[in-house]
Amino acid sequence: MNRTLSTLNSGLIWAGAGISASAIVVGTWIAPLGWQQGLLAIVLGHLLGGILFFAAGLIGAKTGKNAMQTVQISFGRGSVFFSLANVLQLVGWTAIMIYTGAEISNALSLALWEYSAFSLWAIVLGLLIVLWLFTGSNQVGKFKLVTLIAMFLLTLWLSIKVLNGQENFPVSGEMPFSTAVELATIMPLSWLPLVSDYTAKAKKPFAATLSATIGYLITSAWMYALGLGMVLFTGQTEIAPMLLMTGMSLIGIMVMILSTVTTTFLDAYSAGVSAGNITAKFKETPTAILVTIIGTLLAISLPVTQYENFLLLIGSVFAR
């Protein structure tokens, strides 16, 4: 395997992956703990999950094997089962991520311009993911760099707007601290079947894996904190109403689009990598593009979020 992934690119790719709507949503669930306890749970959970994230990535980086090839070390040809399961769950998550991004963007465009176009948003997201795939899985060229910088700046601006207030909104319900920590641990763990697909190409295995881990943990914890603050400082529990309330609708659409692309392309590309472990006839990028197309069609035609528990069940195979 060609080792073309630099330490900087590794960190940037995974920092982009950490900025996602799903992390914001999970962060809102921790609100009953309050700001200080909630932040502590988020940090602790990410540190615990980050240890396993780093370990999984380092195995791939040192051996030069992608995620499913590292499974093959222990299970031999039995790893084909894991590859099939991984492809299935990644197609599903691609569809769900596109659906979520399109749903939030559509809600904002409906409020801004009284224009509902869910299918159009889903297609736009699918096309942008395909464009991202064409630019390479482990390189951050000018297009990707500009996109990532724009996303970071827009998200920072959004965070300042949301968190520049007082913790004035009471939250009903209870959340045990241990449960909050577990919720924060889940997100880094969800990437265990994928991380080696990228670190396997690292020029400097340890440094690139560490860079990926730090980049991801910082931005993912940031999104959790944004979700937590969204509830405590604005009283909103959903992303679209919060963006409307803070006057950040247009910026919110841009953040949703960019974050969906930078996260979902990893799912699609890794589906291509895992498919290649089943048979060499599946080439990584063409298969990833096919997965994106299928995911887009599923997002448009089915209520894909109803299958989320099924996908989590499949994903649990890799966390044991």
Side-chain angles (χ1 to χ4, degrees):
M1 179 174 288
N2 293 328
R3 291 187 175 270
T4 57
L5 179 66
S6 70
T7 300
L8 177 60
N9 283 353
S10 179
L12 288 173
I13 288 171
W14 283 100
I19 298 179
S20 70
S22 57
I24 296 175
V25 171
V26 178
T28 66
W29 301 346
I30 300 175
L33 278 180
W35 181 243
Q36 292 184 345
Q37 286 292 302
L39 282 182
L40 181 60
I42 289 169
V43 171
L44 182 58
H46 275 78
L47 287 176
L48 292 173
I51 292 171
L52 293 178
F53 181 99
F54 175 79
L58 189 60
I59 291 172
K62 286 193 170 183
T63 61
K65 296 180 180 293
N66 63 50
M68 292 302 102
Q69 286 174 336
T70 61
V71 173
Q72 194 172 20
I73 296 173
S74 300
F75 292 92
R77 287 303 299 170
S79 65
V80 171
F81 164 76
F82 292 95
S83 297
L84 283 169
N86 204 32
V87 171
L88 179 60
Q89 73 152 344
L90 290 173
V91 170
W93 285 119
T94 298
I96 286 177
M97 295 301 291
I98 292 173
Y99 179 94
T100 302
E103 185 179 44
I104 296 172
S105 298
N106 187 58
L108 293 172
S109 67
L110 185 61
L112 280 174
W113 307 302
E114 297 183 353
Y115 180 69
S116 179
F118 173 84
S119 296
L120 178 60
W121 285 117
I123 292 170
V124 167
L125 288 169
L127 289 173
L128 288 173
I129 293 167
V130 168
L131 177 60
W132 200 269
L133 287 165
F134 268 124
T135 60
S137 64
N138 61 335
Q139 297 298 326
V140 180
K142 291 182 179 179
F143 167 70
K144 285 186 177 179
L145 183 60
V146 170
T147 302
L148 288 168
I149 291 174
M151 182 176 65
F152 292 147
L153 291 177
L154 290 171
T155 308
L156 178 61
W157 189 7
L158 174 61
S159 301
I160 292 172
K161 290 283 287 186
V162 171
L163 302 179
N164 188 25
Q166 299 293 325
E167 188 179 341
N168 292 328
F169 293 88
V171 179
S172 60
E174 295 183 358
M175 169 66 66
F177 184 80
S178 59
T179 302
V181 172
E182 184 177 353
L183 287 173
T185 307
I186 286 173
M187 206 61 74
L189 293 183
S190 70
W191 292 103
L192 295 188
L194 285 75
V195 60
S196 288
D197 293 342
Y198 305 91
T199 57
K201 301 176 182 179
K203 296 177 182 178
K204 298 179 179 179
F206 183 88
T209 305
L210 183 62
S211 176
T213 304
I214 293 174
Y216 178 77
L217 293 184
I218 288 175
T219 54
S220 179
W222 175 12
M223 293 304 98
Y224 268 70
L226 179 57
L228 174 65
M230 185 176 85
V231 178
L232 298 176
F233 300 148
T234 71
Q236 299 294 330
T237 58
E238 296 184 6
I239 296 175
M242 179 272 293
L243 292 170
L244 290 169
M245 178 181 176
T246 55
M248 301 284 284
S249 302
L250 187 57
I251 289 177
I253 291 176
M254 295 172 67
V255 170
M256 286 303 106
I257 290 175
L258 296 177
S259 64
T260 299
V261 172
T262 58
T263 301
T264 310
F265 104 92
L266 294 171
D267 291 332
Y269 181 77
S270 284
V273 174
S274 293
N277 193 51
I278 299 170
T279 171
K281 293 181 180 179
F282 290 113
K283 303 302 180 184
E284 294 172 355
T285 300
T287 304
I289 292 172
L290 178 61
V291 167
T292 304
I293 293 171
I294 293 172
T296 303
L297 293 175
L298 289 174
I300 292 172
S301 58
L302 293 175
V304 290
T305 53
Q306 293 183 9
Y307 301 96
E308 192 166 346
N309 287 335
F310 174 64
L311 296 176
L312 290 171
L313 177 63
I314 297 175
S316 67
V317 171
F318 301 98
R320 294 185 183 277

